[in-house]
Amino acid sequence: MSWADRTRAGAYGAAACAAAYGSMKLAQALGANALADKDPLRPDLRERLLARDPLFVASHWVLAGAAVVGIIVALATTRPWRAPLPRRLLLTIAWTLGILMIVRSIGPLGIGFVSDALVLTGIDEPPPEHAALARDLALWDLLLWSPFFLLWGVCWALAAWRLGRDRPPPTIH
């Protein structure tokens, strides 16, 4: 597989990750658990999520819709029909999403590989009443969510890199 094919695969990977994430959020919006109990949230927010608080239900609908937009944007980075979409806008969106997802997976925001490792090794002690839950959620984040966001972020970065290297088609005046 050539480098160009691998970078094109980044756009398809970003679209596939968006589809998977959007499907999960749509399922949650419709009432399914779909890993909601594994979401690395503070205990008070987790209770609201699992109780189907209207704010969380609405956020699932918004995130499902955002995932559809993400699929379109990811595919637009490789397709000739991206012409109506400004190239700079696609580049900005793809780089921004890639960087944010990679940063989220690493963990300086309180969730991610670093934060999970700190909780699981006991260096960062959660409150005793939530310690077992915090370790369980850190393990899920370490094994599922952080790798997923890292993969998704790398795919967005590859899509952005490829789009940045593509020469825009000449404009006819």
Side-chain angles (χ1 to χ4, degrees):
M1 179 183 277
S2 72
W3 179 249
D5 290 339
R6 282 192 293 265
T7 56
R8 179 175 290 128
Y12 294 127
C17 288
Y21 188 78
S23 297
M24 180 190 67
K25 291 302 179 182
L26 178 61
Q28 290 173 347
L30 294 171
N33 182 3
L35 295 172
D37 60 333
K38 307 304 183 214
D39 214 331
L41 294 171
R42 292 188 334 239
D44 58 320
L45 295 177
R46 185 174 186 275
E47 287 175 22
R48 289 176 57 196
L49 170 71
L50 297 176
R52 298 202 34 80
D53 180 287
L55 178 67
F56 280 98
V57 173
S59 73
H60 294 321
W61 283 108
V62 168
L63 289 170
V68 170
V69 172
I71 293 167
I72 293 167
V73 169
L75 294 177
T77 65
T78 65
R79 311 309 305 163
W81 47 261
R82 73 172 176 246
L85 298 171
R87 188 168 177 271
R88 284 191 200 274
L89 177 63
L90 289 175
L91 275 168
T92 301
I93 291 169
W95 276 120
T96 301
L97 289 173
I99 291 166
L100 288 175
M101 289 179 183
I102 291 168
V103 167
R104 183 267 181 237
S105 72
I106 294 170
L109 306 175
I111 50 176
F113 293 122
V114 172
S115 300
D116 297 335
L118 292 174
V119 168
L120 292 171
T121 58
I123 294 171
D124 184 9
E125 281 291 325
E129 66 272 14
H130 302 297
L133 175 62
R135 282 190 292 280
D136 184 49
L137 294 178
L139 185 60
W140 272 96
D141 190 65
L142 184 69
L143 298 176
L144 176 65
W145 299 119
S146 290
F148 177 77
F149 280 101
L150 179 61
L151 171 67
W152 199 359
V154 167
C155 287
W156 274 117
L158 282 172
W161 185 84
R162 181 182 184 282
L163 180 61
R165 295 197 36 103
D166 279 352
R167 294 178 188 230
T171 56
I172 300 172
H173 295 294

